[in-house]
Amino acid sequence: MTPTPLLFLLLLGLMGARATVDLRTAAAMAAGLCKTRPTDIVFIIDSSRSVRPSEFEQVKVFLAKVIEGLDVGPNATRVGVVNYASRVKNEVSLKTHRTHAGLIKAVTKIEPLSTGTMTGLAITFALNVAFSESEGARVKSPDISKVAIIVTDGRPQDNVKEVALRARDAGIEIFAIGVGRVDMNTLKQMASEPLDDHVDYVESYSVIEKLTTKFKEAFCVSDLCATGDHDCEQVCISSPGSFKCACKDGFTLMDNGRSCSACSNAATDVVFLIDGSKSVRPENFELVKKWINQIIDKLDVSETKAHVGLVQYSSSVRQEFPLGRFNNKKDLKDAVKKMGYMEKGTMTGQALRYLTENSFSASQGARPGVTKVGIVFTDGRSQDYIGEAAKKAKDQGYKMYAVGVGNAVEDELKEISSVPTGEHYFYTADFKAMAQIAKKLQINICQEEDPCECDSLVKFQKKFVLIVGVLDQILLDSMSKRIALLENKIV
């Protein structure tokens, strides 16, 4: 039986679904594709008494790993280290070490000063001394970047705003990393714009190493596709200093220029269940909202296709907006941006019960016969039992994704997520890494072919073949009789 065009397309779809090669990952693993531009980098590290010796060791490991990813050399990247507390000590000058090994060895020998926290004094020292030509800094030039990376865990005992402004006006790009109970306003006063790219926060020194990749990529200037520094969902095509996105065969590039869809005609109801507990912190809650909007960008939002609802929970549950209220991306994203931060506890089980009992009901805008997707985000252990509600969500046929950050419990994430869990749960220690999760999380829901329609098609084809066979036989018999009559007349 000759396959119809519809069956042929179905076969192609199955083949595409099994293609598991991640072009971006393969490119990023290729060696030698990224070099750092010529840069003078000075690390300014807080070793005040609030930084324990074991924590200071973790800072040094972080420095060493960032240095490993730099293209170190006299004509490439030069590295200096300033250590500070109540006083400032120039541990490594930009002119001192010109190899990875020498730099890393010098970093391992740095000892904490263990007094106060004079961050403004340290920035002043970096501006006047560490970045001076006598200490190895190069003459100011458009071809050579000057970067200061400040690591601190406390509130400075002096003024940082004015001296940081002077440093930035002098052409120094400042990254500010805060740890633990750091004062976020101080970080913002020190850092360069845009603040989203230059201010980082980690809960403790034990996870500061997670920022290594960010800084390796920040100084890479060559193949943006190879380093993964792009937003392409499937295929990234490099061009000098830039890139463009494309899709694999069988997929279509969406209007945002980054996402790909295999099933743009599929209607889907998607509900976000977002943890707004006090452990998230206001600045991280803003990152969560950006993450939600990254995923919305990947959806084909319209009256007939993807509908999105949003629920926030802490000690209680609050519906921000139901399914179907907004049917275009702009209105949806604006509504997400306006979401207020609840704070308080983490009642994930209660939130999951709300999802199963309310969010996907017809009264809340859910459509019958449409695929239902739940995306749960949390940053900590649930304060109530989640097992029964998580099971009910999956038993009701919802496709469940679980995303955890920081102190989230991976066993809970797996319990919430659909199978295979490896494709439906994600975890990262750092809120800043959520953008990578948004790239990986796929919600391409295809409408399944009605098996009745397929059976009918097969039956029709069998009947058609049978009829053609009968007609062929009739025509053959008729032609044979005519030929016999003609032969008799000739004789």
Side-chain angles (χ1 to χ4, degrees):
M1 180 178 68
T2 303
T4 65
L6 177 58
L7 291 176
F8 183 69
L9 288 172
L10 288 172
L11 289 171
L12 282 178
L14 289 172
M15 291 171 64
R18 292 172 182 166
T20 58
V21 178
D22 189 333
L23 298 180
R24 291 175 299 164
T25 301
M29 291 174 66
L33 291 176
C34 174
K35 289 187 177 292
T36 53
R37 60 183 178 268
T39 309
D40 291 343
I41 299 177
V42 174
F43 292 93
I44 305 173
I45 54 173
D46 177 357
S47 67
S48 57
R49 65 174 65 92
S50 61
V51 183
R52 298 173 183 175
S54 60
E55 294 173 333
F56 193 69
E57 290 302 311
Q58 290 166 334
V59 175
K60 293 195 290 184
V61 170
F62 166 68
L63 263 61
K65 293 207 169 185
V66 174
I67 290 168
E68 284 176 356
L70 300 174
D71 186 20
V72 175
N75 299 316
T77 298
R78 301 180 185 182
V79 177
V81 181
V82 171
N83 182 14
Y84 80 94
S86 293
R87 62 188 178 91
V88 181
K89 185 178 179 182
N90 200 22
E91 300 283 2
V92 179
S93 294
L94 291 168
K95 66 182 179 182
T96 309
H97 298 285
R98 302 298 172 86
T99 65
H100 288 99
L103 274 168
I104 292 170
K105 185 176 180 181
V107 167
T108 61
K109 292 180 178 180
I110 299 174
E111 295 293 333
L113 300 174
S114 301
T115 50
T117 310
M118 302 292 284
T119 310
L121 181 66
I123 298 173
T124 301
F125 181 90
L127 175 61
N128 297 333
V129 180
F131 280 107
S132 68
E133 290 181 44
S134 61
E135 290 297 319
R138 285 163 284 192
V139 177
K140 187 175 180 181
S141 163
D143 299 324
I144 299 172
S145 302
K146 296 191 183 297
V147 175
I149 302 174
I150 303 170
V151 182
T152 180
D153 78 334
R155 184 185 297 273
Q157 296 169 335
D158 57 354
N159 186 278
V160 299
K161 186 175 182 179
E162 292 179 4
V163 66
L165 178 60
R166 290 209 316 268
R168 295 195 301 268
D169 288 345
I172 299 172
E173 182 180 8
I174 301 179
F175 291 86
I177 301 174
V179 183
R181 296 184 178 181
V182 70
D183 178 49
M184 294 302 298
N185 286 330
T186 300
L187 296 182
K188 293 174 182 177
Q189 287 175 3
M190 294 188 293
S192 297
E193 294 283 353
L195 294 179
D196 284 349
D197 295 336
H198 292 85
V199 175
D200 288 280
Y201 172 81
V202 290
E203 297 287 341
S204 67
Y205 282 102
S206 63
V207 294
I208 193 172
E209 197 177 321
K210 300 288 184 181
L211 297 177
T212 303
T213 301
K214 169 191 169 168
F215 284 97
K216 285 182 178 179
E217 293 179 354
F219 304 123
C220 178
V221 293
S222 53
D223 192 336
L224 296 177
C225 290
T227 62
D229 190 19
H230 60 83
D231 294 325
C232 299
E233 183 178 327
Q234 291 188 357
V235 180
C236 178
I237 301 171
S238 290
S239 59
S242 186
F243 65 91
K244 65 178 180 179
C245 301
C247 299
K248 299 174 186 176
D249 290 343
F251 290 80
T252 303
L253 189 67
M254 296 182 69
D255 292 340
N256 60 24
R258 301 185 300 274
S259 305
C260 299
S261 175
C263 313
S264 59
N265 64 333
T268 313
D269 285 346
V270 181
V271 174
F272 288 90
L273 202 60
I274 300 301
D275 179 356
S277 59
K278 60 186 174 186
S279 60
V280 174
R281 298 170 64 102
E283 61 275 10
N284 289 331
F285 194 69
E286 293 303 311
L287 294 177
V288 173
K289 291 196 284 187
K290 289 183 179 179
W291 173 76
I292 295 170
N293 281 340
Q294 277 186 285
I295 297 174
I296 288 173
D297 271 334
K298 297 169 67 174
L299 300 174
D300 194 2
V301 178
S302 73
E303 183 77 35
T304 58
K305 296 175 185 176
H307 286 189
V308 177
L310 178 60
V311 173
Q312 184 184 172
Y313 71 94
S314 58
S315 298
S316 59
V317 180
R318 183 174 77 200
Q319 179 174 258
E320 302 293 344
F321 52 82
L323 288 161
R325 175 172 292 178
F326 306 108
N327 290 317
N328 64 77
K329 290 182 183 180
K330 183 183 182 304
D331 290 345
L332 258 178
K333 292 168 72 173
D334 286 345
V336 171
K337 290 175 184 177
K338 292 175 183 176
M339 176 171 56
Y341 178 35
M342 292 177 71
E343 300 190 58
K344 298 186 180 179
T346 310
M347 303 292 281
T348 313
Q350 179 178 289
L352 285 166
R353 286 191 293 276
Y354 184 91
L355 183 81
T356 58
E357 295 170 6
N358 297 282
S359 297
F360 286 125
S361 65
S363 63
Q364 297 301 317
R367 295 167 289 178
V370 170
T371 302
K372 308 292 189 293
V373 177
I375 303 175
V376 182
F377 163 80
T378 181
D379 85 323
R381 182 184 295 274
S382 177
Q383 295 172 339
D384 61 350
Y385 179 61
I386 67 166
E388 184 179 340
K391 182 177 183 299
K392 184 177 180 181
K394 290 178 282 188
D395 288 347
Q396 290 182 184
Y398 306 155
K399 187 172 184 179
M400 298 296 294
Y401 292 89
V403 178
V405 178
N407 294 320
V409 180
E410 292 196 58
D411 285 344
E412 289 187 356
L413 300 178
K414 292 176 182 178
E415 191 169 9
I416 293 169
S417 62
S418 296
V419 292
T421 55
E423 296 177 10
H424 293 85
Y425 99 94
F426 304 87
Y427 172 80
T428 178
D430 181 17
F431 278 86
K432 286 292 182 67
M434 290 180 69
Q436 298 303 316
I437 291 178
K439 292 179 186 178
K440 294 176 184 177
L441 197 152
Q442 303 293 332
I443 316 178
N444 286 335
I445 306 296
C446 298
Q447 292 175 328
E448 295 182 0
E449 187 70 34
D450 186 341
C452 297
E453 290 181 7
C454 288
D455 289 344
S456 299
L457 182 63
V458 171
K459 288 177 183 177
F460 170 77
Q461 288 177 321
K462 286 181 178 178
K463 287 181 180 179
F464 182 77
V465 171
L466 181 62
I467 291 169
V468 169
V470 171
L471 288 174
D472 284 345
Q473 189 61 50
I474 292 172
L475 288 171
L476 183 62
D477 291 344
S478 177
M479 290 296 293
S480 297
K481 289 178 181 179
R482 289 190 178 189
I483 290 171
L485 288 172
L486 287 171
E487 287 177 344
N488 289 333
K489 287 182 179 178
I490 292 170
V491 172

